[in-house]
Amino acid sequence: MSLFPTRISGSGLRKQTLKIFAVAVIMVAAAFSVLLEIGANTRQHFENEPIITADSIRHTYLRPELRTLADSTANVIVDSTEALLPLMEKLRELQCGGEGTVSILHIGDSHVQAGFLTGRLRELFQRDFGDAGRGLITPHRMARMNEAPDYVITSRFRHSATKATDRLDGKPGFTGVAVKLETLYNELSIRSRHPFTAVTVFHAPDAPRLSESDELNIGSHCTAHDTPTSTRIALSRSTDTLILSGFTTSEWNDPTFYGFSLENGLPGVLYHAVGLNGAAFEHFANNTTILDGGAAALAPDIIIVSLGTNNCYGNNFNASRLRDSASDFIRRLKESYPGVPLLVTTPMESHRLQGGRRVANPNIVTAAREICAAAADNNIAWWNFYGAAGGARAMDRWHARGLAQTDRIHLTESGYVLQADMLYEAFTRYYNETLHFEL
């Protein structure tokens, strides 16, 4: 057989060319059809791709390789009394172009303080319902604690700090952290990845007033939104950096500050996080002003509570005592914030040291059961993360995928993002089903 083709006549060449062209068209059409099918499958199964109907909000789909970690049948928000329905209606108004804000307050321990879980939830809520700003930031770094990665609060001057997990005589505000400036001249610097046009300062009742720099000053101050423990400062333009300063002018002044809320003046969601390393139900109940209405200035439309991990360590764990603590905290929250719906979440499985090695903490499954029972006792909603994450031995499976840290208590950033995606998927299911939207 010759390596070179024989000569072809002009008509034969045209016929062969047409055949080649026809085959090419068929192959391209087939390939395009395959690509469309692959694209459709990708839209159905890959992370964060929306399935949109006329009214429903988008689902946050988990990557296929991570779906084996989660129990989709357990990934639901239980709300037998439809206590969350007023929140759904407010969010629906925002989705339809309404004005105003929906304020979410999320209280928790180190899982919340790290900022990855709540940061992802903030991103998802604001994606679907509008971005009203960063919300609450707390001076954790000034109290020698880890701080969420999207902001920094500092001071050039001497200061001291206390937190709700310390042995205290007083209460460090509703944020669980208090920073006291110890010089006559007071200065605090804020940097945020989220630009803002207004800041609310949370402080001790007798704190000196802090003011913005001249270039951001609008020349007047409206006191309509101020309380004895909060002061709202409107700025002349949007910024991501702010220096607040003032003087301690009297021995009666108490230059103690608890945190700041950053807002941009747009309609949407504000997602406030109050997290504290090592915190249990008792710390927030006894050592903060949460149950004294201290967070009222945030005007929360829902309060999410993610506690329980730190109630489960040590040899003195008592299931009934945990249920009583959780139930008492929930009951007092309802009294302090009447009409505000509550959502309680449980911790997933974690490990503890035993005989020099880490083993699954058997108290966690009991804690999850008791926390859900406390929620049911008080007619509020709950999300059982223990079950949704895979139940027993889930922590080992998450760790094997790089989603949990070596202590098998805390998750990695990717793990907290997955947890947030799971909670938001349960939330979108609740939202669409409760408002009777097509799924």
Side-chain angles (χ1 to χ4, degrees), residues 297-313:
L298 297 176
D301 293 293
I302 182 176
I303 299 176
I304 303 173
V305 180
S306 298
L307 293 166
T309 299
N310 296 301
N311 291 86
C312 296
Y313 290 91

Side-chain angles (χ1 to χ4, degrees), residues 156-220:
R156 296 183 297 156
F157 300 99
R158 190 174 68 250
H159 62 273
S160 59
T162 55
K163 51 188 181 294
T165 49
D166 296 334
R167 295 183 180 275
L168 302 171
D169 294 328
K171 298 179 179 181
F174 74 92
T175 67
V177 176
V179 170
K180 184 171 185 177
L181 304 178
E182 297 181 340
T183 56
L184 291 178
Y185 178 71
N186 305 313
E187 182 182 279
L188 288 164
S189 174
I190 298 170
R191 285 183 291 136
S192 170
R193 294 180 190 171
H194 309 263
F196 52 96
T197 59
V199 56
T200 300
V201 184
F202 300 101
H203 50 73
D206 297 316
R209 175 175 167 78
L210 299 182
S211 300
E212 67 277 31
S213 59
D214 290 341
E215 64 173 15
L216 294 172
N217 193 302
I218 62 173
S220 61

Side-chain angles (χ1 to χ4, degrees), residues 75 214 271:
N75 190 32
D214 290 341
Y271 201 106

Side-chain angles (χ1 to χ4, degrees), residues 360-373:
N361 186 347
N363 299 330
I364 297 293
V365 62
T366 304
R369 183 180 65 245
E370 297 300 332
I371 290 171
C372 292

Side-chain angles (χ1 to χ4, degrees), residues 62 66-77 346-349 368 383-392 394 397-398 418-419 422-423 425-426 429:
L62 312 181
L66 298 182
R67 279 202 171 274
T68 58
L69 295 173
D71 182 349
S72 60
T73 61
N75 190 32
V76 295
I77 291 174
T346 72
M348 74 172 289
E349 183 190 64
W383 179 61
N384 186 0
F385 183 42
Y386 178 89
R397 294 191 291 270
W398 282 53
L418 174 57
Q419 180 185 359
M422 291 172 61
L423 175 53
E425 187 176 65
R429 185 182 305 170

